[in-house]
Amino acid sequence: MPYFVFRIAGIVGLPERLAEAPSYREAKAILRELRARESGDAAPIRMVFAANEIEAADLLTQPREPDPSLYGADD
């Protein structure tokens, strides 16, 4: 399964596909390069591992559950 690099743009937060890479190392290099080119106020760029582009975009648009192990970490 490939790695996809997306920009989460706009008010709606729809992902825009920027790149695809067959390995984690290649995807991470692409991600770092794209983030270095962006200014500080640009839309976030994220990487996701998925079977295809549709699944990757779907994973990025789903809300994430908070990690229960973090509750009470400040106590």
Side-chain angles (χ1 to χ4, degrees), residues 7-24:
R7 173 180 286 119
I8 310 301
I11 296 172
V12 180
L14 295 176
E16 170 193 351
R17 180 175 171 242
L18 300 176
E20 178 181 340
S23 72
Y24 176 81

Side-chain angles (χ1 to χ4, degrees), residues 46-48 58-68 70-71:
R46 305 240 343 251
M47 175 177 57
V48 65
D58 184 48
L59 288 171
L60 288 174
T61 57
Q62 293 178 7
R64 294 172 61 181
E65 294 287 326
D67 186 357
L70 297 178
Y71 295 130

Side-chain angles (χ1 to χ4, degrees), residues 33-65:
E33 180 183 329
L34 290 170
R35 285 181 175 168
R37 283 194 246 158
E38 297 290 323
S39 62
D41 60 342
I45 298 174
R46 305 240 343 251
M47 175 177 57
V48 65
F49 181 67
N52 56 48
E53 183 179 348
I54 295 169
E55 181 184 349
D58 184 48
L59 288 171
L60 288 174
T61 57
Q62 293 178 7
R64 294 172 61 181
E65 294 287 326

